[in-house]
Amino acid sequence: MSSSDIFIGETIGTAVLILLGGGVVAAVTLKRSKARDAGWLAITFGWGFAVLTGAYLAGGVSGAHLNPAVTLGLAIKGGTAWGDVPLYLGSQLLGAMIGAVLVYAVYYGQFHAHLTDPEIFGTKGTEEGMVDQTAAPKAGPVLGIFSTGPEIRNAVQNVLTEVIATVVLVLAILTQGLNNEGNGLGTLGALVTALVVVGIGLSLGGPTGYAINPVRDLGPRIVHAVLPLPNKGGSDWGYAWVPIVGPLIGGALAGGLYNLAFA
């Protein structure tokens, strides 16, 4: 694969992944969305379809890694040259940021309706159009549309959850999902991977929101920090290292386990 293939495929594929994945969370979360309160099943299946679509778009171009943990696992396995790893990671991060901006564009009206609604912020009865900045928002900020966060903040448990979930993902890809060249997802492998992502979300997603992909969390979190959203809340940078470190450890462990047990 040429450098341009990697850049184009990973940027576009990851952008679509985040557009559809973040989009389903926005649809379920935001006031005046037709899908509001559709629930966890909608989110898990939405992310699965997001992976499927992004993988099919990029598979024939860049191998559709779309995830630094997958790239790392493939490099350890020997399917991806170490010299290509920085380009994969940079392209994935750029794509994730583009996808997050597109989610904001699609749900622009809903973001602003949600974040200025007196009922959401517990300020009904105050002067119309004014939001009390000291009020505790009933629905919380919108960071969860862009990135993940734990239900119980325990660094050891949170990292371990992300490590275990990412090992499951990357090991499934390395054993069942690769194309004939062994450097990315194949046609059937994309479907297998999407189903595995749904399974991870249903079974292991409860504690942390299952990032299992460093750029899936970091790229949109950066976008959340810079977007001009009213009353959006903080970007929780104190937690941001967990969905980066956990998946990278998981991807490396999966690559090593594959070489030990399956190669």
Side-chain angles (χ1 to χ4, degrees):
M1 296 175 185
S2 68
S3 295
S4 61
D5 287 339
I6 294 171
F7 176 76
I8 292 170
E10 294 299 297
T11 300
I12 294 175
T14 310
V16 170
L17 165 65
I18 300 302
L19 169 61
L20 299 183
V24 71
V25 183
V28 170
T29 301
L30 295 176
K31 193 176 182 69
R32 301 190 68 178
S33 164
K34 292 182 182 296
R36 193 178 185 208
D37 296 327
W40 189 247
L41 280 176
I43 289 174
T44 54
F45 276 93
W47 272 106
F49 291 133
V51 170
L52 185 67
T53 306
Y56 277 138
L57 284 175
V61 183
S62 66
H65 297 190
L66 313 183
N67 182 343
V70 174
T71 300
L72 182 58
L74 277 167
I76 291 172
K77 173 186 176 292
T80 296
W82 283 102
D84 289 336
V85 169
L87 179 57
Y88 269 101
L89 271 56
S91 303
Q92 291 157 2
L93 181 59
L94 175 62
M97 295 175 67
I98 292 171
V101 172
L102 292 175
V103 172
Y104 169 66
V106 171
Y107 283 92
Y108 176 86
Q110 282 72 25
F111 273 112
H112 285 269
H114 188 90
L115 291 172
T116 58
D117 190 290
E119 291 185 353
I120 294 295
F121 281 84
T123 58
K124 192 172 184 179
T126 61
E127 184 180 349
E128 186 175 356
M130 299 296 291
V131 174
D132 180 1
Q133 297 290 343
T134 65
K138 293 179 180 178
V142 295
L143 179 61
I145 294 171
F146 295 90
S147 56
T148 61
E151 288 299 302
I152 297 174
R153 193 171 291 257
N154 180 305
V156 174
Q157 178 196 343
N158 301 152
V159 170
L160 184 61
T161 298
E162 289 293 331
V163 169
I164 292 171
T166 309
V167 167
V168 172
L169 171 65
V170 177
L171 198 58
I173 290 173
L174 297 181
T175 56
Q176 304 293 328
L178 297 183
N179 55 28
N180 292 334
E181 291 75 27
N183 59 5
L185 288 176
T187 301
L188 181 59
L191 177 59
V192 171
T193 302
L195 293 174
V196 170
V197 169
V198 173
I200 290 171
L202 292 174
S203 300
L204 305 176
T208 63
Y210 72 118
I212 57 176
N213 181 340
V215 300
R216 169 266 175 275
D217 192 278
L218 178 59
R221 195 183 296 269
I222 293 171
V223 170
H224 174 271
V226 302
L227 279 177
L229 286 167
N231 312 305
K232 64 182 179 181
S235 299
D236 195 10
W237 290 107
Y239 179 78
W241 66 275
V242 172
I244 296 173
V245 171
L248 288 175
I249 293 173
L253 288 175
L257 183 59
Y258 178 88
N259 287 340
L260 287 173
F262 298 97

